Amino acid sequence: MSSEQGTESTPLAPVNDADYAQLCRLVVEHAWRTDNGHSDTLHELWAGDGELDLGSSTLRGQAAIAEWGRQLVERPPWVTIHHICGNMRFVAEGPDAAAGSTILMVFMDADGTRSTVPFSVGEDRDRFVRTESGWRFAFRRWISLYERGDTIDIP
């Protein structure tokens, strides 16, 4: 669109290189812990009052996220799960806050068929805060873009 139409906007500036590397590591660590049976430690990556929007419900605070992660470890709804994170972009919202998006492809085997078709492809929309322990998630919302079609019950 041309600026004459008044709809052109300037995207927010990406975070600096050091923050980008730290935020990428945080996002990948979240996926790795889920993929490797450590969902009960996901709360460690969150700010104390963080909110995780699962679509069907919203978890508020580290205690709720820890309980959800414990349930995933004790009764995983999948045989295996693997996340592929890509197209990560993070923008500064002040010196200690950032927003970001990650395209996520999820391969999940819930019934032993080992399908090579992704279970889902979507976008995580995140907000982050810098704490004394480094960057932490403050908010996450999953937006589904494509789905294989089968469903599972995720706590």
Side-chain angles (χ1 to χ4, degrees):
M1 312 264 1
S2 74
S3 59
E4 293 173 356
Q5 294 173 321
T7 57
E8 186 175 288
S9 65
T10 304
L12 295 173
V15 298
N16 64 44
D17 291 348
D19 287 339
Y20 182 83
Q22 292 169 19
L23 290 165
C24 282
R25 284 183 178 157
L26 181 64
V27 168
V28 170
E29 183 67 16
H30 202 281
W32 185 90
R33 289 183 187 198
T34 301
D35 292 351
N36 290 280
H38 299 286
S39 294
D40 56 338
T41 66
L42 290 173
H43 67 282
E44 298 169 354
L45 306 176
W46 285 81
D49 60 351
E51 291 188 16
L52 175 56
D53 181 346
L54 299 171
S56 58
S57 64
T58 299
L59 306 174
R60 290 180 174 83
Q62 283 182 323
I65 294 168
E67 174 59 22
W68 176 70
R70 185 190 60 75
Q71 291 175 30
L72 288 176
V73 169
E74 290 179 1
R75 292 179 305 285
W78 49 70
V79 177
T80 60
I81 186 170
H82 296 283
H83 294 78
I84 299 172
C85 307
N87 295 2
M88 291 183 232
R89 185 170 194 273
F90 308 106
V91 295
E93 293 189 328
D96 296 319
S101 63
T102 300
I103 299 297
L104 207 60
M105 187 177 332
V106 182
F107 289 90
M108 185 184 308
D109 181 1
D111 58 8
T113 59
R114 298 176 51 101
S115 175
T116 59
V117 177
F119 178 77
S120 62
V121 176
E123 183 176 0
D124 276 329
R125 301 253 177 102
D126 298 316
R127 291 204 173 300
F128 307 92
V129 294
R130 190 187 323 260
T131 69
E132 291 179 5
S133 302
W135 286 104
R136 295 293 181 260
F137 288 95
F139 178 81
R140 170 169 269 189
R141 172 178 290 133
W142 166 257
I143 298 168
S144 181
L145 300 174
Y146 308 98
E147 296 179 1
R148 190 168 64 201
D150 47 338
T151 59
I152 63 167
D153 290 325
I154 296 178

